[in-house]
Amino acid sequence: MKAGVVTFPGSNCDADVFHVLKNIFNIDTKMIWYKDKNIKGYDLIVLPGGFSYGDYLRSGAIARFAKVMDPIIDFAEKGGLVLGICNGFQILLESNLLPGAMKVNDNLKFVCKNTVLTVINNKTPFTNQCEKSAAIEMPVAHGEGNYYIDKEGLKELNENNQIILKYKNKKVNPNGSINNIAGICNKERNVFGLMPHPERCSEPLITPGKSDGYNIFSSIISFINKRGGKIAK
Amino acid sequence: MPNKPWLSEGLTEKEYEMIVDLLDRKPTTTELGIFGVMWSEHCSYKNSKLILKNLFTEGECVLQGPGENAGIIDIGDGQAISFKIESHNHPSAVEPFQGAATGVGGIIRDIFTMGARPIANLNSLRFGELNNDKVQYLFKGVVSGISSYGNSIGIPTVGGEVYFSSAYEGNPLVNVMSVGLLKKENIATATAKGEGNSVMVVGAATGRDGIKGASFASDELSEDSKEDRPAVQVGDPFMEKLLLEASLELINTNSLIGIQDMGAAGLTSSSAEMASRGNSGIEIDISKVPTREKNMTSYEIMLSESQERMLIIPKKGKEQVVKDIFNKWDLHAEVIGRVNDDGMLRIFNGEDKVAEISAKILADEAPEYRRETKLPEYIKNVNEINANDIKSEDYNNDLLDLLSSPTIASKKWVYEQYDYMVMTNTVVGPGSDAAVIRIKGKDKALALSTDSNGKYCYLNPRRGAAIAVAEAARNIVCSGGKPLAITDGLNFGNPMNPEIYWQFKNSVEGITKACKKLDTPVIGGNVSFYNESPKGAIYPTPIIGMVGLLDSLKDKTTMHFKNEGDLIYLIGKNVEELGGSEYLELKEGKVDGYVPQLDLNLEKRVQKTVREAIKENIINSAHDCSEGGVAVNLAESCFENNLGVNIKINKEISNKALLFGESQSRIIVSISKELASKLENIAVENCVPYGKIGVVEGTQFKFNNLIKLDVEEMKVKWETAIEKKL
């Protein structure tokens, strides 16, 4: 298995994801520069968190025009696994790989803390090692994580089981997102965007001390190992 | 030129005469502007240098002491840590968001110019009382400025402190500390050498912002200070992130002679200081400097403090390496001049020479003043405080009130706006005694803390400053680390006032004494004078930023009680002391009394005891006793795991001093019953007084027959106090 982590100008969780894939899971992992037009041989592409292009204009709005996005969209359309974390999720929305949009947090402040989530769908490449309906913990750190989608879109998300993660309830929802949504996938299940940071909770040593993020990465690896080299080569 | 043009540059008539004498002619407008910023307090330390020379700056671990962009210490395995604290008080007072944001940006640049990757930031903030709209505006603005810049650039803000007191009402303090990790062989310096070597400006283009910011910072704030808003720079964390990555990439290629951040006084100070350090000169053609605006004058280009810029001297023939790396990150990199060997800073605008001054005169020969000192009147009127002077009816209420006073209350509202986890090294984040940051690939970790109690320093600057060092070290020890070195952020009023200068001198003496005793040298820092508003000077506030090392992550210790049934010990001694306490101010509205005694020998032994106990892996929590006293500190240890305590202390002192007195050199630890005798033995071996004061049990907080409260109720008050005030 080979993973790639994209560095946009202003990405700041690229090294963190790289560390987890490379050093915790011993996966062959490469950094991908945002100007690269050719990406070949990957099984997983991660769009990491951060402030691509300073989040100027709107988070993710400029990054979607980076050269690397064309081959990534192509990769996704061919069934390659794409994981967008935080700013990466925002970029996936801006590039229409996922439906909906992101608004500023409802309290208008940046928020960094641990959150309790519920796994809504565990039959995906990204959550197959999680228990369904289990309460898991992952930290968030964002100023624009207030996910929004119109009524029809929401209905569609529900009907297709595209909602993968929700904040446990309204009280612990850190940003005011609609239906407490924290992470969604596309219909085909190969593109997943989430606001919480699994790479920040894959080792019990570091704050917040839980390691529920580990299961997200192990789900991906398990999926790819089972699938073998069938897609996106 | 207006009459007495030097006045508008912040220079005195005498200094102007000195300049004419040194140049042997009258300075040009640009030259006078250059002198104005270079000889400002901010750049030249002219009022503080002679005192600062006495600081304790040597130690085994010191690789780079004061004088560079930031100091560096050795942490073994070929690794080193660069760190420094810097103030951005004046800009934050007039434009809190940008003022604080660029404060973060400035200190980060100081760290990565040394060749270090910044891995953690801390901040030490002071505001007026929160019950006032203006203070709330400043508080929210500063926090959101720090949050915006630090989060965006991707460096975790892992700790710090916030105090609220009317003494800071018109003049908040914003001190930011940054800590970076580097390989010893990659240490970069800010030196210009080698005749004919190119001088390059890299990073952002130069604009008209922050012109003369250094001079602005060297004056008192007044009602008109808001007119100085153009002197506040505007930060672009995105640009700085690119600059950081490009600079570190460049330093790794071994292509540089020197690199320096353009901070205060921009191009002027960076070129003069780099040349002076290398005993060289520099010639610059300012028409080659990339600018954001047309028709900028040489005066403006030389004095602009536009952010996110660096001055670089590449090795001969390495100009293209610099350009390639910076172009990769979409940043400017332009050759704007060359190094010369005659020691002169020459500024050209195309063909026209607009300034020619010896770099040494600018950087090193600013006048040095030993200002007059005078024992302040108020010090003579400090009274001894007796427990009977404080009226109290109900200790339950007193404790709840203390827990919900903003200075003591949880700072969650603040730190949840900071990304304290990015880089995934944060082992212990904000809210404990010291933050603990792991070093990937090694078992060791850093412990980081900032400390200062302005009230203590007001009542007794020498002791107050020594306590700040001792407390910082205690925090490091409680977290499992060995204190290594400090950076000091010295915040004071107007040094021309002999009473203020007395505070300054005594504070530095206090720091020196404590640093020597605890073997924690000062490796760099910052002086901020003129922290005054029409209401008067701030409390003298020497902020100590300390870095310690955990030999192993096994030593990591937090302040939280962990197990029901654990015994609670107090290492150290309770003394009848209420002077300068939070309790006194809360109950009587007074800042008065004798500051708690500090016996540095005892302090050292107390720290040694706890450190040995941690190394033996026998204790489950350790928490420094500080503001609010034992009752508050015990409560803080209860909250994380919602555990109660039953405290029974045989009292030799008054109830008030026992509960809320702030005696120094005390640490509260919890330990399982079976191991308690081991702890007692360690304490006895170190000749340290100790007491078994209670046990972790239930969900109630019980203290003798004086206090009985539900931990949950206390926690809610403590956690929500700041939010409720806003």
Side-chain angles (χ1 to χ4, degrees), chain A residues 9 11-12 16 19 33-35 51 53-54 56 109-113 139 141 199-200 203 205-207, chain B residues 151-152 154 236 238 241-242 328-330 413 416-424 426-427 438 440 553:
Chain A
S11 292
N12 64 29
D16 300 353
H19 165 70
W33 188 238
Y34 73 105
K35 290 177 187 171
F51 289 71
Y53 296 90
Y56 296 141
K109 290 201 299 273
F110 188 96
V111 58
C112 175
K113 65 174 177 191
E199 81 280 13
R200 294 186 182 190
E203 298 166 87
L205 172 71
I206 49 170
T207 299
Chain B
N151 298 349
S152 177
D236 180 350
F238 171 57
K241 170 74 175 161
L242 304 182
K328 172 186 159 195
W329 291 94
D330 295 330
W413 187 89
E416 281 192 349
Q417 294 184 55
Y418 302 150
D419 189 340
Y420 53 87
M421 298 186 259
V422 65
M423 296 185 108
T424 60
T426 310
V427 175
R438 74 162 167 189
K440 283 196 182 103
L553 279 162

Side-chain angles (χ1 to χ4, degrees), chain B residues 197-245:
Chain B
N197 280 336
S198 296
V199 175
M200 299 180 79
V201 60
V202 301
T206 300
R208 284 196 171 96
D209 54 332
I211 289 176
K212 284 206 294 185
S215 318
F216 157 66
S218 303
D219 202 354
E220 288 170 34
L221 292 169
S222 68
E223 291 298 330
D224 300 329
S225 291
K226 56 182 185 296
E227 308 291 328
D228 281 325
R229 223 167 266 178
V232 180
Q233 314 84 341
V234 179
D236 180 350
F238 171 57
M239 180 69 87
E240 178 129 324
K241 170 74 175 161
L242 304 182
L243 185 63
L244 183 163
E245 296 300 341

Side-chain angles (χ1 to χ4, degrees), chain B residues 559-663:
Chain B
M559 67 191 229
H560 313 300
F561 293 138
K562 305 204 172 50
N563 312 309
E564 188 130 0
D566 274 0
L567 299 179
I568 302 169
Y569 277 77
L570 189 144
I571 313 294
K573 199 172 150 209
N574 301 315
V575 186
E576 181 70 38
E577 288 174 316
L578 285 158
S581 65
E582 286 299 308
Y583 187 57
L584 175 69
E585 191 174 7
L586 174 82
K587 299 299 289 182
E588 301 296 325
K590 277 200 294 202
V591 175
D592 197 1
Y594 301 144
V595 169
Q597 296 160 32
L598 177 67
D599 172 350
L600 283 165
N601 288 315
L602 175 64
E603 177 73 47
K604 219 176 160 172
R605 295 202 306 273
V606 166
Q607 291 185 17
K608 188 159 171 266
T609 301
V610 172
R611 189 160 157 69
E612 284 177 21
I614 287 175
K615 296 296 281 179
E616 293 275 321
N617 198 19
I618 56 173
I619 60 177
N620 294 330
S621 71
H623 186 20
D624 151 52
C625 281
S626 59
E627 283 84 4
V630 170
V632 165
N633 306 135
L634 281 165
E636 289 166 343
S637 296
C638 291
F639 294 151
E640 174 84 3
N641 298 315
N642 289 313
L643 286 167
V645 291
N646 192 355
I647 302 296
K648 285 183 182 132
I649 306 185
N650 291 333
K651 52 177 219 143
E652 293 151 10
I653 57 175
S654 72
N655 287 329
K656 288 168 193 152
L658 179 64
L659 291 167
F660 307 120
E662 298 177 6
S663 295

Side-chain angles (χ1 to χ4, degrees), chain A residues 98-116:
Chain A
L98 291 173
M102 210 60 89
K103 298 190 293 181
V104 173
N105 295 351
D106 58 353
N107 70 0
L108 308 182
K109 290 201 299 273
F110 188 96
V111 58
C112 175
K113 65 174 177 191
N114 203 28
T115 58
V116 183

Side-chain angles (χ1 to χ4, degrees), chain A residues 6-11 34-35 47 50-70 73 87-96 144, chain B residues 236 238-239 242 330:
Chain A
V6 181
T7 301
F8 294 97
S11 292
Y34 73 105
K35 290 177 187 171
L47 307 187
F51 289 71
S52 57
Y53 296 90
D55 269 2
Y56 296 141
L57 188 59
R58 197 171 61 239
S59 53
I62 305 177
R64 67 163 287 201
F65 295 106
K67 283 181 186 148
V68 77
M69 286 312 292
D70 287 337
I73 289 170
N87 192 228
F89 185 13
Q90 294 158 342
I91 296 167
L92 290 176
L93 296 175
E94 290 290 338
S95 35
N96 295 321
E144 299 179 32
Chain B
D236 180 350
F238 171 57
M239 180 69 87
L242 304 182
D330 295 330

